[in-house]
Amino acid sequence: MPYLSELKPGEQAIIIADEHLPVKAMELGLMKGSLIRLKKKNPKIGMALVEINGQSLALDYGLASQIEVSSNGKKENSPDSTDR
Amino acid sequence: MEKKKTLRIALIGNPNVGKTTVFNLLTGLHQQTGNYPGTTVVQKKGKIKVNGFTLELIDLPGTESLHPHSPDEQVSLKEIIRYPENIDGIFYIADVESLKKNLLLLTQIMDLGIPVIMILNKADKLKKKGIQIDMEELKKTLGIPVILYSSVKPEGNLIQKIKPYLKKLNKCKGRRIFSEINLKEELKKHFPAIDDKLLNYSLFLHYTEQVPCSLLEMTNHPGKEEKKQLLKKETVKRYIWINKVLKNFYTQNLSERKDFTGMADKILLHPVWGYLVFFFIMFLMFQSIYHLANLPMELIDHIFGELSNWLQHKLPSNKLTDLLINGVISGVAGVLIFVPQITLLFLFVLLMDKTGYMSRVVYLTDRWMRPFGMSGKSLVPLISGTACAVPAILSTRTIENSRQRLITLLTVPFTTCSARLPVYTIIIALVIPNKFLFGWIGLQGLTLFFLYTLGFAAALAFGALLHRFLPGQKTTPLLMLMPDYQWPSFKGLLIEWWDKVSAFIFGAGKIIVLFSIILWFLGTHGIKDDKILAYPVPLEDSYLGNFGKKIEPVFRPLGFDWKIDVAVLSSFAAREIFIGTLSTIYSVEDDSEKTIIEKLRTEIHPATGRPVFNLATGWAILIFYAFALQCMSTLAVIKQETGSWAYTLGIFLFMGLLAYISAMTVYQILK
Ligand SMILES: Nc1nc2c(ncn2[C@@H]2O[C@H](COP(=O)(O)OP(=O)(O)OP(=O)(O)O)[C@@H](O)[C@H]2O)c(=O)[nH]1
């Protein structure tokens, strides 16, 4: 399974594991089952920009490389789900 | 509660949803609001009268949930959990765009059984973002009143919309999902012996957040890992519920939204262009502070010169006239002359904040701040420190990592605050030629830019030093919401700008004028051989003169004469007093019609025969003020935020010593 940082900008995926994530990340919507879109990645700056729940979220690139996502990204308009 | 006449209402919500904007709208009190998430770091209060009720409103810092991650977020928890009796109800501010996330905190609040009225803000964005909300369904699902509103483009009076619910506030308690989402079961695992009725969300919060309560006497609080797992479970359970109900009232057609922000970010977050734009903005800011403000400053200086001259001719020549002209008027002029520059500085900082650009600066700089023991979030206090160190130090409360926060707040005093600006302006005008490099880069503006850069560089170097020696967890990965770019409303900008400028004029101004009067007295009165000398006493023999001469040897290696010494010492409480003091000293001594700059420029050192304000002394003064921590309020706020005298005195002595040694070195090289 790829990691969030391995997606190409514009690609969407579903988060499939959230064990490594801090509580704050989950409160912001980063959790297993969430649909996430990578908007921008800047490994040189050490940052990534993602879209979650219609909002932009900047996150540390190191953190983005720990978030496992599904390889088959959904289309833009698919509804978000946090099903377990 | 229905009969209660005063209702204490807390404004709560996630960061950046518009709480402060709504608070300003309701109370008319002019508070600071910002587009960088987490601007409200201290509580603000205001009172309004509605239909025979007095509403006491408290604007609390934004928080994602009732489990705080940073010191500012603790304020909301403390207010709600420790003193629930202090709050009669909550105005919950949410943002149409991030409604899903906003519901997390709302469900927590509703689980506590506190009456809530929800103000669903930023309604003006609905169309732009392709969002549709079924309001009736939303109200039905939550069981509380919901008011859809836009606080920047208001339609109708918000108070009128809230009014009908105040009488029955106690009934606005909303749906409790604590049992519905099996959080109760989770809590039961930790309290198997406790009666089911007592297992509620309040107990859950007391337990996880280590807030003492009688029920918890029989059990330990969870360990760090156990707490983390419990909070994660809670978050997931709440989001599952939110996802389930959200579909019933919220739809967003992403293809309809306009993404100006995404396009702008292509440049502003670019690894090369992004930094170039940032440095260009900074450069532009300091050049314009210097050059745009020049004309109005000269005008103010000229007007006060003319006024003093006119009064001198019209009023009888006596002590009172002297006090008025050389004590009061010179003091007032000393304040007003800097208003043009401070105006420009505040406008730039406000614009960066309000347009959403400040968050981009955090994004660009996080990585580069780490070697200095800080994070991208530290840059906001460091930049706002250019206005004033006191709010800047308070704004470090948004930094989650306590070590990064401590380093940031101890480095903020190195950044060039607006109080240093008057000193820099006058000294630069005196010793740096008004010439242009390549025809457009002003030398004086460049010097100012250098001094600001020096402040930042010193802050970073000091940060690196602390990073090496301080114990504690070194970093916390950055996680930050990025607001859309937006053009702030002109009125809002004006209100906030006036808040800050008036704080300078009436806050610092009062002290400067008072000091000016005291200095006039000390500079025109004196005592010799136990006899009080007749007024007016020559400056040399005045109290001020005698004191200055006594301490002259200490500052001689820096090239300061006794008049500069007096000005330096009197500015211990606040730096901006330095120029006011010089202005008063020279007005006392020389009551010709010359402006303050002319008076300083023509001052000759009796020992050397050279101008007192030459290149070497000028630079020594500039460097001294770049480093010395001469501000009582900053010291007080450092003590308050660190709770440590060791850090407070340590930073004061360190910066003082650094200022003295650097200024001496510069003087000795240039003289
Ligand atoms: N479009 C739009 N923008 C708004 C509205 N209300 C507030 N804003 C903007 O949202 C940003 C944040 O507003 P604040 O009032 O500082 O938000 P806050 O919730 O107090 O922020 P924190 O102090 O960070 O918790 C500012 O740029 C406001 O101009 C609104 O109704 N519509």
Side-chain angles (χ1 to χ4, degrees):
Chain A
M1 290 294 164
Y3 289 95
L4 178 58
S5 57
E6 291 166 19
L7 297 181
K8 288 196 194 88
E11 259 183 354
Q12 298 190 107
I14 306 280
I15 300 179
I16 54 169
D18 54 18
E19 287 79 33
H20 301 300
L21 289 174
V23 177
K24 170 137 189 216
M26 297 183 73
E27 287 172 356
L28 291 169
L30 292 175
M31 61 174 68
K32 201 162 135 185
S34 298
L35 176 67
I36 191 164
R37 186 165 75 96
L38 184 78
K39 289 176 89 173
K40 210 172 189 27
K41 55 179 177 181
N42 295 110
K44 283 195 197 119
I45 301 177
M47 294 298 291
L49 189 67
V50 297
E51 186 180 299
I52 184 117
N53 300 329
Q55 281 206 299
S56 292
L57 183 72
L59 78 159
D60 187 271
Y61 195 76
L63 199 62
S65 21
Q66 286 176 19
I67 302 177
E68 264 188 274
V69 294
S70 64
S71 47
N72 52 334
K74 289 190 182 179
K75 286 202 189 92
E76 269 257 338
N77 284 332
S78 61
D80 194 0
S81 66
T82 313
D83 302 328
R84 306 221 153 199
Chain B
M1 188 185 295
E2 271 76 6
K3 292 199 182 74
K4 213 166 157 184
K5 283 288 169 205
T6 299
L7 297 175
R8 263 182 62 107
I9 306 283
L11 266 73
I12 296 182
N14 288 172
N16 219 38
V17 290
K19 289 178 301 301
T20 309
T21 314
V22 170
F23 178 76
N24 287 344
L25 206 72
L26 288 173
T27 59
L29 270 186
H30 304 147
Q31 304 293 320
Q32 193 198 344
T33 68
N35 211 350
Y36 169 75
T39 311
T40 316
V41 287
V42 282
Q43 278 185 38
K44 291 161 199 161
K45 294 182 180 171
K47 267 188 194 171
I48 44 167
K49 289 215 183 307
V50 189
N51 251 11
F53 287 104
T54 302
L55 294 192
E56 271 182 23
L57 299 175
I58 320 158
D59 180 20
L60 292 173
T63 179
E64 301 296 348
S65 82
L66 286 180
H67 304 289
H69 301 288
S70 58
D72 63 321
E73 292 183 352
Q74 265 156 17
V75 178
S76 296
L77 175 83
K78 214 167 112 187
E79 198 68 29
I80 295 175
I81 284 296
R82 291 190 193 235
Y83 314 106
E85 67 281 2
N86 284 352
I87 289 183
D88 297 310
I90 283 175
F91 288 173
Y92 187 79
I93 319 296
D95 169 349
V96 291
E97 227 189 319
S98 52
L99 182 59
K100 176 174 168 181
K101 184 171 70 71
N102 296 169
L103 290 179
L104 178 75
L105 174 62
L106 179 67
T107 58
Q108 292 178 329
I109 289 170
M110 291 196 307
D111 268 338
L112 289 172
I114 305 173
V116 188
I117 296 173
M118 178 170 172
I119 297 165
L120 188 48
N121 194 29
K122 307 198 183 181
D124 55 296
K125 284 190 162 183
L126 283 173
K127 206 165 164 217
K128 248 186 275 173
K129 294 286 171 176
I131 298 170
Q132 282 186 326
I133 300 174
D134 180 342
M135 289 298 290
E136 286 316 308
E137 188 59 34
L138 172 63
K139 286 181 208 169
K140 208 172 84 192
T141 309
L142 300 176
I144 54 168
V146 183
I147 297 162
L148 185 65
Y149 201 70
S150 164
S151 51
V152 296
K153 289 179 188 153
E155 278 178 19
N157 187 321
L158 184 56
I159 298 176
Q160 294 304 324
K161 291 178 191 270
I162 292 173
K163 213 156 85 178
Y165 304 110
L166 291 178
K167 275 197 197 132
K168 45 182 181 187
L169 188 63
N170 215 13
K171 298 211 171 75
C172 307
K173 283 192 176 161
R175 179 167 176 179
R176 294 194 188 202
I177 62 165
F178 185 71
S179 310
E180 212 176 314
I181 59 173
N182 294 333
L183 216 50
K184 194 170 186 171
E185 303 305 308
E186 208 58 58
L187 192 61
K188 199 168 177 61
K189 288 183 200 159
H190 299 263
F191 298 92
I194 288 186
D195 183 359
D196 239 31
K197 278 192 211 121
L198 298 172
L199 292 173
N200 56 23
Y201 190 55
S202 174
L203 180 67
F204 185 92
L205 274 182
H206 279 85
Y207 177 59
T208 51
E209 297 310 322
Q210 320 224 335
V211 184
C213 85
S214 56
L215 274 177
L216 289 174
E217 275 161 17
M218 46 184 122
T219 179
N220 289 327
H221 288 285
K224 211 174 157 194
E225 192 48 40
E226 197 184 351
K227 173 181 168 180
K228 191 173 152 190
Q229 292 312 325
L230 210 53
L231 299 197
K232 281 187 166 190
K233 273 187 193 156
E234 179 195 348
T235 311
V236 169
K237 282 173 188 290
R238 288 190 188 277
Y239 265 123
I240 291 176
W241 182 86
I242 292 166
N243 279 327
K244 203 171 73 195
V245 299
L246 196 74
K247 303 195 224 344
N248 302 335
F249 52 78
Y250 192 88
T251 47
Q252 181 170 23
N253 189 344
L254 293 173
S255 58
E256 271 181 28
R257 70 178 172 174
K258 300 186 184 90
D259 192 18
F260 166 74
T261 295
M263 287 191 307
D265 276 343
K266 282 207 173 107
I267 295 172
L268 297 178
L269 296 182
H270 189 273
V272 177
W273 295 116
Y275 291 104
L276 283 180
V277 172
F278 174 55
F279 285 118
F280 180 70
I281 291 175
M282 289 290 111
F283 181 75
L284 195 74
M285 173 164 133
F286 296 116
Q287 282 288 323
S288 50
I289 284 176
Y290 212 85
H291 293 290
L292 290 182
N294 227 354
L295 196 71
M297 283 178 78
E298 275 174 15
L299 199 72
I300 295 172
D301 200 15
H302 179 76
I303 291 172
F304 276 93
E306 288 292 306
L307 178 70
S308 302
N309 186 23
W310 185 77
L311 288 173
Q312 199 117 46
H313 289 296
K314 292 282 166 200
L315 297 176
S317 173
N318 59 24
K319 208 170 174 173
L320 211 63
T321 306
D322 196 19
L323 168 67
L324 178 71
I325 294 172
N326 297 320
V328 182
I329 292 184
S330 84
V332 174
V335 178
L336 293 185
I337 196 164
F338 300 108
V339 170
Q341 285 191 326
I342 282 164
T343 291
L344 284 169
L345 179 74
F346 286 160
L347 267 184
F348 265 99
V349 175
L350 265 175
L351 268 177
M352 279 172 60
D353 184 17
K354 293 275 139 197
T355 49
Y357 182 64
M358 204 68 113
S359 303
R360 272 67 193 179
V361 176
V362 174
Y363 182 98
L364 288 173
T365 53
D366 187 66
R367 182 193 179 139
W368 312 117
M369 296 301 282
R370 301 219 164 186
F372 308 106
M374 295 183 257
S375 83
K377 287 190 180 175
S378 310
L379 212 77
V380 178
L382 290 178
I383 291 180
S384 42
T386 55
C388 177
V390 174
I393 287 173
L394 288 176
S395 73
T396 60
R397 289 185 193 178
T398 58
I399 301 171
E400 291 98 352
N401 181 299
S402 55
R403 185 174 182 274
Q404 286 180 332
R405 176 173 180 242
L406 179 65
I407 295 179
T408 309
L409 80 82
L410 290 177
T411 52
V412 162
F414 279 96
T415 55
T416 304
C417 68
S418 56
R420 282 170 171 120
L421 205 54
V423 182
Y424 289 173
T425 314
I426 297 276
I427 303 297
I428 288 175
L430 282 171
V431 300
I432 307 291
N434 188 12
K435 288 191 181 144
F436 286 82
L437 289 180
F438 314 113
W440 65 281
I441 304 175
L443 262 188
Q444 296 186 333
L446 202 63
T447 308
L448 190 67
F449 184 60
F450 166 77
L451 286 165
Y452 273 81
T453 313
L454 181 70
F456 275 119
L460 293 181
F462 188 55
L465 193 76
L466 293 173
H467 189 39
R468 238 185 104 84
F469 297 109
L470 276 181
Q473 186 200 345
K474 296 214 162 170
T475 53
T476 302
L478 187 89
L479 262 174
M480 184 188 58
L481 284 170
M482 299 279 264
D484 281 354
Y485 292 107
Q486 75 174 52
W487 194 246
S489 80
F490 181 70
K491 193 178 153 203
L493 205 67
L494 209 68
I495 289 172
E496 288 183 38
W497 163 81
W498 175 242
D499 261 359
K500 290 179 194 303
V501 173
S502 59
F504 172 79
I505 298 177
F506 302 111
K510 259 189 290 193
I511 307 172
I512 297 173
V513 173
L514 187 74
F515 254 78
S516 178
I517 294 169
I518 296 171
L519 286 168
W520 168 84
F521 176 82
L522 295 174
T524 49
H525 295 73
I527 197 162
K528 203 173 189 180
D529 304 329
D530 289 339
K531 271 195 200 130
I532 295 175
L533 299 171
Y535 169 86
V537 175
L539 188 61
E540 305 267 326
D541 299 328
S542 67
Y543 295 115
L544 206 59
N546 277 322
F547 177 67
K549 276 183 257 167
K550 276 204 185 92
I551 56 160
E552 200 174 9
V554 180
F555 287 100
R556 198 171 294 141
L558 282 66
F560 296 178
D561 71 351
W562 67 265
K563 292 177 197 167
I564 302 176
D565 297 346
V566 170
V568 166
L569 288 182
S570 63
S571 69
F572 165 73
R575 299 174 180 98
E576 51 272 60
I577 291 170
F578 177 78
I579 293 298
T581 309
L582 280 184
S583 143
T584 308
I585 293 175
Y586 287 100
S587 306
V588 165
E589 203 183 38
D590 172 4
D591 54 9
S592 67
E593 293 160 22
K594 287 188 278 186
T595 63
I596 171 75
I597 295 198
E598 285 164 354
K599 283 176 190 169
L600 296 178
R601 190 168 279 143
T602 48
E603 178 74 1
I604 299 293
H605 201 295
T608 61
R610 290 171 60 203
V612 170
F613 293 93
N614 54 49
L615 193 71
T617 333
W619 269 108
I621 295 174
L622 292 175
I623 297 296
F624 184 85
Y625 274 90
F627 294 139
L629 205 177
Q630 291 183 284
C631 178
M632 292 280 216
S633 323
T634 304
L635 286 171
V637 82
I638 291 178
K639 166 71 182 62
Q640 174 194 305
E641 294 300 293
T642 58
S644 150
W645 278 112
Y647 283 128
T648 312
L649 294 177
I651 184 81
F652 174 70
L653 291 176
F654 179 83
M655 289 183 74
L657 215 62
L658 182 69
Y660 187 89
I661 294 170
S662 319
M664 181 171 71
T665 312
V666 166
Y667 178 74
Q668 296 301 333
I669 292 171
L670 292 179
K671 78 170 179 182

